[in-house]
Amino acid sequence: MAKLHFFYSTMNAGKSTALLQTHHNFEENNLKSLLFLPNTDSNNDLNINKIKSRIGIEKDAILVNAEFNFYKYVKKIQTTDLKCILVDESQFLKSDQINQLSRIADDFN
């Protein structure tokens, strides 16, 4: 059964580092995962599509705007080997995008 997790904490608590470590662990076990990053005022002018930790770890991510539909994206790529979706800075997502992520967990397990 799929699960939807939300991790939160203060700034500088290591959330992005933990997210990148989780992604690395999936990759090391040949399990497909996707990284997403909301397009915010702090990264849209520079078109930054990297999740970066303060300790220097970084990884390319799919940059999403307020109109991005996670459900349609996952359905379109039609992959059965997708095991994890990781979203950094999820507080910038719209409520319907959170619902899309929930539907992905429910419908695609």
Side-chain angles (χ1 to χ4, degrees):
M1 168 159 228
K3 297 178 184 177
L4 182 65
H5 297 274
F6 176 72
F7 295 97
Y8 64 96
S9 188
T10 60
M11 288 181 62
N12 297 323
K15 297 176 300 293
S16 295
T17 303
L19 181 142
L20 292 169
Q21 182 177 355
T22 298
H23 177 70
H24 174 78
N25 291 340
F26 273 85
E27 280 186 329
E28 284 294 306
N29 289 292
N30 295 315
L31 300 171
K32 184 170 176 61
S33 64
L34 296 174
L35 291 172
F36 291 99
L37 180 65
N39 191 358
T40 63
D41 289 339
S42 64
N43 64 11
N44 66 2
D45 289 337
L46 303 172
N47 201 20
I48 298 172
N49 67 329
K50 290 189 182 297
I51 297 174
K52 297 180 180 182
S53 73
R54 285 183 175 79
I55 62 171
I57 303 168
E58 64 180 45
K59 191 76 176 171
D60 287 340
I62 300 166
L63 201 58
V64 300
N65 60 24
E67 290 80 38
F68 185 84
N69 188 309
F70 288 95
Y71 191 87
K72 286 182 181 178
Y73 182 86
V74 170
K75 188 174 182 179
K76 180 181 165 185
I77 61 173
Q78 291 289 331
T79 181
T80 57
D81 62 338
L82 179 60
K83 300 301 180 195
C84 186
I85 294 173
L86 301 161
V87 183
D88 198 29
E89 302 291 348
S90 63
Q91 72 271 20
F92 295 110
L93 296 178
K94 302 296 182 190
S95 60
D96 59 326
Q97 291 175 313
I98 301 299
N99 289 334
Q100 293 161 16
L101 292 168
S102 178
R103 280 188 61 208
I104 290 167
D106 293 341
D107 294 354
F108 303 122
N109 199 21

